[in-house]
Each structure stands twice: as structure tokens, then as C-alpha cells.
């Protein structure tokens, strides 16, 4: 039986003025899989995530969630439909983007409450998620009182509180020092074990290798190579991939 | 005239001074937000026109604007805005201060990172929810020092109403000074403004402190 694709992207195109940042990108994400996207800066990894989450407008191609078109041949679905698609995914930013004037709890629970969910139910879910993120007892803290690693874990809880089918991470540890990176990667790993569907743009190669079901290597706005992590890391087929990975062999 | 009499007579104008002050804030604070949003409009004509009006309001003396609103309608249409002079005075003050507040608001709004909007968007906040719940509270905190500055200036600017002979505290003081050929009324006015602003400082300080629960 074919695996069910939560997200399919086909021939995605994106340019900023005359600069092409995404060229003919196609990929699909199956339920329960973890996809890591690696590649040098400016390769289009983040733009790909931003297109998938509608923060950036693609110029051409298709984006489908659960087989339904959000973008078809460069034309977006109506606004109301896009809002419905938004409830299917969550996004974790490089620099957390917590709301500084909200307590940890409110950061996590406000969005679902605004979507009409029961306040008490959401609160319980929030407490559970925070516990899972190792943030028990931090409900009433404000973001500035937390370390970067804790803030990022709040951001993950906030995304999960919306119960997304797929979670995107845009370099979730790039703003953290190595010690804090570990604690964030640990919770992502834990989510992977629970079969959360995730797409992770990352520079953490050992993590990508250990946790992903598939690794995508991007450079210059195209997918140069993709496949099983062991194959991509240990036996890359493309010279560009080898060149990139050599930097990490030190 | 004894000093006490001067103080008593001038105090009678304090109600009007306060009226200008509070009514100006009441209208200028929200009006400034509307002006700021128009100024940031994506529709080029709207933002250009708004910008033009802001340059006029900030580029010409408040005193002139007071005269224009109070007496302008008489010369143009043979009528006045209202019998009570408080009306044109507050209109002029409110419009003038709205222009300044608008620029403060704009600075505050533009200082919030795009990421905050994006985080809210991905979480499904509507544009209005994003502005009211996420952006505005942070803007308020950031602009408090600048707003305090304007409010302190407003206290002193109320004296400008003397140009249209509105009988607020300073106008009365000036009249006493003229009739008694005494400088004392100005000293009294100075003390009044100083005390008024001490209160303003205290209140604004309290508000800033209340917003201190996050960084």
C-alpha cells in the first residue's frame, strides 16, 4: 500500500525579482515521516518552508495538503480555504517568535482558544505539552525569563497545541548554543519517536542522520539529492553534496 | 493685587486648562492611531495624502493652527465653529497632537519584528487579532517614553490658548500681568505647570511600571 502523503509539492517555483530561489522543487511528505532539509545558506531551504506555510508566495507549481490543492499551477486557493489549510501545519521559527507579553501558558493556549476550542480543555492540553517539553512549572513565566532552549521548547508546545498534522522547523537550533541545542533536538527526537510528521531545516548533521526517514540536500534553489539518510551522508551520489558534507567532517 | 488673589483668580482658569488637556488626549490618542494606520496604508495615494497633512501639522506653529481653526471659519464662511471657544481650541490641539502621536505610533508599530506577524499568521490569528492582541500591546510599551514626552509638552502647550483669548489659567495670568504690570502671575503659572507635570510624570511612571512585567 502506498504511504499517504500529508504534503506534496510539485514543480514549485519562486523568484525574488530576477533571482530564482526555488526551481522546480518536488517532494512529498508521508504521514509519520521526518524529513530533514540540509544545504548551504542561500540554497532555498527556508524559502521552501516559507512557501509551504504560505508565508511566502510561490510563483508556480502545486502545493497539496492531504491531496487537496492549496496552490495549483501557481494559483492559490481562496483565502478562507488557506486558513483551513493553516490549521493542518505548525511552524517553529529559528528565533522562536514567542509573544513576549504573554505568559508561557498564554503563548501556548491562546491560538486554539481563538479557534473556538474549549478553554479548560486547551489549558489541560497546554499543561500536558509543557510537561512533555520539560517545562513543568513554567506556565506563568514570561519568555524573557527563560533560556533560549526553553523558549524554543515553548514555541514547539505552542505549535503542537494547534494539533497540526505536520510540523515544520526552520533551523530550530541555529540561535542556540550547543548545550541548549541538545535539549531542543531531544524533544524533536522524542516527537519523531511518536511518529509526528515533521520537516526540519537544519545544520545539525548527526541529528538529521539519526532521526530522519529521508534527507533532502538543496543547493542553488534546487534539490540536488535526496534519499535515505545513511545513503546521502555516507555515499552521496552528487559532487555538490560531497563538497557540502566535507565541511562537516572535521 | 495680593499674591493670594492672583493665585485664586488664576486657579479659576485651571478647570479650562484641564479641559484642554484631557479632551485633547481623549481625541488625539485614538485619532493618532487612525492617522498612523492611514500613513502606513499600502494604497499609495492614502499614505501620501496623510503624510502631506502630517507635514503641515508638524511644520507650522500650533499657535497658527489655533488661530486658523478659531477664526478661519469666520473669514471664510462668516460663521464660527461653535460659540464655546473650547471647541475650536480642542479641535486644533487634537489634530495637531494626533499628527505627533501618529508618528510615534508608526515608529512603534514598525519596530515590531515581521516574525511576530508571521508567528501569529501561522497560528491562525486574523489580521485584526494579530494587531490588537500581539502587536498593539507591545507597541504601547515601547512608545510610552515618547508619549510621556508629548503629554508633558501638551501640559505646557495649553498656555497657547491665550492666542485666541480662551480664559484658561495662563490667559488669565497674562491679563493680570498686563493690568498689574507684575511678573508674579508668570511665576505662579510656572509653578502650576510644574506641579501639573509632576503629577503627569508620576502617573505615566506608574503606567510604565505596570507594563514592566515583560521585556
Amino acid at each position: 500500500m502506498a504511504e499517504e502523503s500529508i504534503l506534496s509539492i510539485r514543480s514549485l517555483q519562486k523568484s525574488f525579482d530576477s533571482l530564482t530561489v526555488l526551481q522546480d522543487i518536488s517532494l512529498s511528505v508521508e504521514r509519520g515521516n521526518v524529513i530533514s532539509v540540509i544545504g548551504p545558506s542561500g540554497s532555498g531551504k527556508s524559502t521552501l518552508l516559507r512557501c509551504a506555510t504560505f508565508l511566502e508566495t510561490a510563483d508556480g507549481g502545486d502545493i497539496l495538503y492531504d491531496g487537496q490543492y492549496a496552490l495549483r499551477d501557481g494559483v492559490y486557493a481562496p483565502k478562507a480555504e488557506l486558513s483551513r489549510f493553516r490549521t493542518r501545519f505548525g511552524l517553529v521559527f529559528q528565533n522562536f517568535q514567542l509573544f513576549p507579553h504573554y505568559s508561557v501558558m498564554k503563548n501556548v493556549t491562546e491560538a486554539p482558544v481563538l479557534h473556538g476550542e474549549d478553554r479548560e480543555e486547551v489549558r489541560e492540553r497546554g499543561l500536558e505539552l509543557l510537561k512533555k517539553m520539560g517545562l513543568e512549572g513554567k506556565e506563568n513565566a514570561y519568555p524573557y525569563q527563560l533560556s533560549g532552549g526553553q523558549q524554543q521548547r515553548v514555541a514547539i508546545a505552542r505549535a503542537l497545541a494547534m494539533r497540526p498534522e505536520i510540523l515544520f522547523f526552520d533551523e530550530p537550533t541555529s540561535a542556540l548554543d550547543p548545550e541548549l541545542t541538545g535539549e531542543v533536538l531531544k524533544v524533536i527526537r522524542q516527537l519523531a519517536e511518536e511518529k509526528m510528521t515533521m520537516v526540519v531545516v537544519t545544520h545539525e548533521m548527526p541529528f538529521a542522520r539519526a532521526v530522519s526517514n529521508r534527507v533532502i540536500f538543496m543547493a542553488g534553489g534546487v534539490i540536488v539529492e535526496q534519499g535515505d539518510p545513511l545513503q546521502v551522508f555516507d555515499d552521496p551520489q552528487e559532487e555538490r553534496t560531497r563538497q557540502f558534507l566535507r565541511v562537516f567532517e572535521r | 493685587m495680593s499674591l493670594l488673589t492672583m493665585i485664586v483668580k488664576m486657579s479659576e482658569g485651571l478647570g479650562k486648562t484641564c479641559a484642554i488637556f484631557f479632551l485633547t488626549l481623549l481625541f488625539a490618542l485614538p485619532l493618532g492611531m487612525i492617522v498612523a494606520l492611514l500613513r502606513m496604508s499600502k494604497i499609495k495615494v492614502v499614505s501620501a495624502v496623510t503624510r502631506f497633512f502630517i507635514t503641515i501639522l508638524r511644520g507650522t506653529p500650533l499657535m497658527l493652527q489655533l488661530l486658523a481653526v478659531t477664526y478661519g471659519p469666520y473669514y471664510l464662511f462668516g460663521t464660527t465653529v461653535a460659540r464655546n471657544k473650547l471647541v475650536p481650541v480642542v479641535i486644533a490641539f487634537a489634530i495637531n497632537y494626533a499628527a505627533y502621536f501618529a508618528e510615534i505610533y508608526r515608529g512603534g508599530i514598525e519596530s515590531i519584528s515581521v516574525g511576530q506577524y508571521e508567528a501569529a499568521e501561522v497560528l491562525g490569528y486574523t489580521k485584526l487579532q494579530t494587531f490588537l492582541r500581539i502587536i498593539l500591546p507591545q507597541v504601547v510599551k515601547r512608545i510610552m517614553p515618547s508619549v510621556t514626552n508629548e503629554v508633558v509638552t501638551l501640559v505646557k502647550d495649553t498656555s497657547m490658548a491665550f492666542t485666541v483669548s480662551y480664559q484658561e489659567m495662563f490667559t488669565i495670568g497674562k491679563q493680570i500681568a498686563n493690568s498689574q504690570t507684575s511678573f508674579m502671575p508668570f511665576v505662579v503659572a510656572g509653578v502650576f505647570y510644574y506641579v501639573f507635570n509632576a503629577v503627569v510624570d508620576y502617573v505615566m511612571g506608574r503606567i510604565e511600571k505596570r507594563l514592566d512585567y515583560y521585556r
Side-chain angles (χ1 to χ4, degrees):
Chain A
M1 200 179 93
E3 281 176 288
E4 187 190 351
S5 288
I6 289 188
L7 168 68
S8 302
I9 289 175
R10 298 198 287 240
S11 310
L12 196 70
Q13 307 282 342
K14 171 71 185 171
S15 317
F16 290 115
D17 296 320
S18 61
L19 180 74
T20 305
V21 277
L22 293 179
Q23 208 181 329
D24 198 25
I25 300 285
S26 297
L27 63 96
S28 63
V29 183
E30 285 76 36
R31 199 172 290 281
N33 275 5
V34 179
I35 315 288
S36 289
V37 184
I38 60 169
S41 313
S43 59
K45 312 180 297 284
S46 289
T47 308
L48 173 60
L49 276 203
R50 292 173 60 80
C51 283
T53 52
F54 314 149
L55 290 177
E56 214 73 72
T57 312
D59 302 325
D62 306 325
I63 298 174
L64 297 92
Y65 280 96
D66 280 330
Q68 291 173 282
Y69 283 97
L71 174 75
R72 184 171 203 163
D73 225 358
V75 182
Y76 278 92
K79 268 190 180 165
E81 249 175 82
L82 289 183
S83 322
R84 272 201 297 282
F85 280 115
R86 269 192 202 100
T87 62
R88 294 169 181 271
F89 59 72
L91 173 62
V92 175
F93 294 83
Q94 180 176 342
N95 37 16
F96 332 135
Q97 296 301 344
L98 293 177
F99 304 133
H101 57 306
Y102 283 173
S103 67
V104 164
M105 195 58 173
K106 195 165 181 188
N107 262 287
V108 174
T109 55
E110 188 177 65
V113 170
L114 288 178
H115 276 82
E117 290 194 56
D118 178 68
R119 195 175 286 272
E120 210 34 57
E121 212 179 289
V122 173
R123 201 188 143 72
E124 244 153 70
R125 191 192 310 159
L127 283 171
E128 220 168 279
L129 282 169
L130 289 174
K131 190 173 163 190
K132 193 166 151 186
M133 296 293 130
L135 293 165
E136 224 173 349
K138 295 286 184 196
E139 303 84 70
N140 299 319
Y142 283 87
Y144 81 92
Q145 297 166 316
L146 305 178
S147 72
Q150 290 171 324
Q151 289 188 47
Q152 191 60 300
R153 283 180 281 145
V154 174
I156 295 170
R158 178 175 73 172
L160 288 171
M162 291 293 288
R163 295 207 263 221
E165 292 172 51
I166 177 169
L167 194 50
F168 297 100
F169 292 84
D170 190 3
E171 302 194 23
T173 61
S174 293
L176 303 173
D177 62 44
E179 210 174 329
L180 302 178
T181 295
E183 61 187 51
V184 169
L185 293 182
K186 203 176 116 194
V187 301
I188 301 177
R189 196 184 291 250
Q190 190 189 334
L191 291 172
E193 280 160 15
E194 294 166 13
K195 294 291 168 208
M196 179 77 208
T197 314
M198 295 184 282
V199 177
V200 188
V201 169
T202 185
H203 291 297
E204 300 293 330
M205 297 306 149
F207 169 82
R209 184 194 167 105
V211 176
S212 327
N213 300 89
R214 199 161 83 243
V215 171
I216 294 177
F217 172 67
M218 283 181 74
V222 298
I223 294 178
V224 175
E225 183 164 357
Q226 61 173 313
D228 183 85
L230 299 184
Q231 183 246 302
V232 172
F233 282 112
D234 298 343
D235 185 21
Q237 303 299 300
E238 302 290 331
E239 176 49 33
R240 185 70 188 87
T241 316
R242 280 195 283 271
Q243 192 191 333
F244 174 73
L245 290 174
R246 222 170 281 141
V247 181
F248 294 91
E249 289 169 9
R250 257 181 281 171
Chain B
M1 191 185 282
S2 74
L3 180 60
L4 186 66
T5 323
M6 278 180 195
I7 294 172
V8 170
K9 276 194 179 280
M10 287 171 72
S11 303
E12 283 163 10
L14 272 179
K16 286 179 175 170
T17 299
C18 288
I20 300 174
F21 175 78
F22 287 112
L23 289 173
T24 298
L25 287 184
L26 179 71
F27 294 117
L29 286 169
L31 183 61
M33 185 51 76
I34 295 169
V35 175
L37 294 175
L38 291 175
R39 169 77 174 79
M40 291 185 295
S41 168
K42 279 181 194 138
I43 307 161
K44 283 226 167 75
V45 186
V46 174
S47 77
V49 170
T50 312
R51 190 176 179 170
F52 175 67
F53 276 105
I54 292 175
T55 59
I56 289 188
L57 290 167
R58 299 204 308 172
T60 63
L62 173 58
M63 199 183 285
L64 246 162
Q65 293 167 23
L66 270 166
L67 290 167
V69 178
T70 311
Y71 300 121
Y74 176 77
Y75 290 109
L76 289 172
F77 315 111
T79 178
T80 47
V81 177
R83 192 171 297 167
N84 187 342
K85 259 191 196 152
L86 179 62
V87 177
V89 167
V90 167
I91 290 175
F93 268 95
I95 292 175
N96 178 275
Y97 271 79
Y100 283 93
F101 285 138
E103 289 296 278
I104 293 174
Y105 294 159
R106 185 171 67 92
I109 292 169
E110 287 176 351
S111 77
I112 306 292
S113 82
V114 183
Q116 290 281 299
Y117 290 91
E118 293 181 345
E121 184 182 329
V122 172
L123 287 165
Y125 287 70
T126 64
K127 286 231 155 68
L128 188 66
Q129 285 169 342
T130 303
F131 184 73
L132 294 178
R133 291 170 179 272
I134 307 301
I135 307 302
L136 194 57
Q138 298 185 57
V139 168
V140 169
K141 182 183 165 87
R142 286 193 195 182
I143 64 175
M144 275 310 286
S146 313
V147 169
T148 302
N149 242 335
E150 286 304 314
V151 175
V152 166
T153 306
L154 174 61
V155 170
K156 297 173 287 177
D157 275 359
T158 55
S159 63
M160 217 90 83
F162 87 88
T163 50
V164 295
S165 316
Y166 181 64
Q167 294 291 314
E168 44 74 51
M169 184 268 287
F170 187 77
T171 310
I172 295 172
K174 202 165 151 32
Q175 286 159 355
I176 299 173
N178 285 344
S179 63
Q180 306 285 316
T181 48
S182 160
F183 191 74
M184 270 323 277
F186 295 129
V187 176
V188 173
V191 173
F192 272 138
Y193 288 124
Y194 182 82
V195 173
F196 198 153
N197 265 330
V199 175
V200 167
D201 257 338
Y202 174 76
V203 172
M204 297 305 272
R206 284 291 293 267
I207 297 174
E208 275 190 50
K209 197 142 203 162
R210 277 192 58 176
L211 293 171
D212 229 16
Y213 67 91
Y214 74 92
R215 256 174 250 155

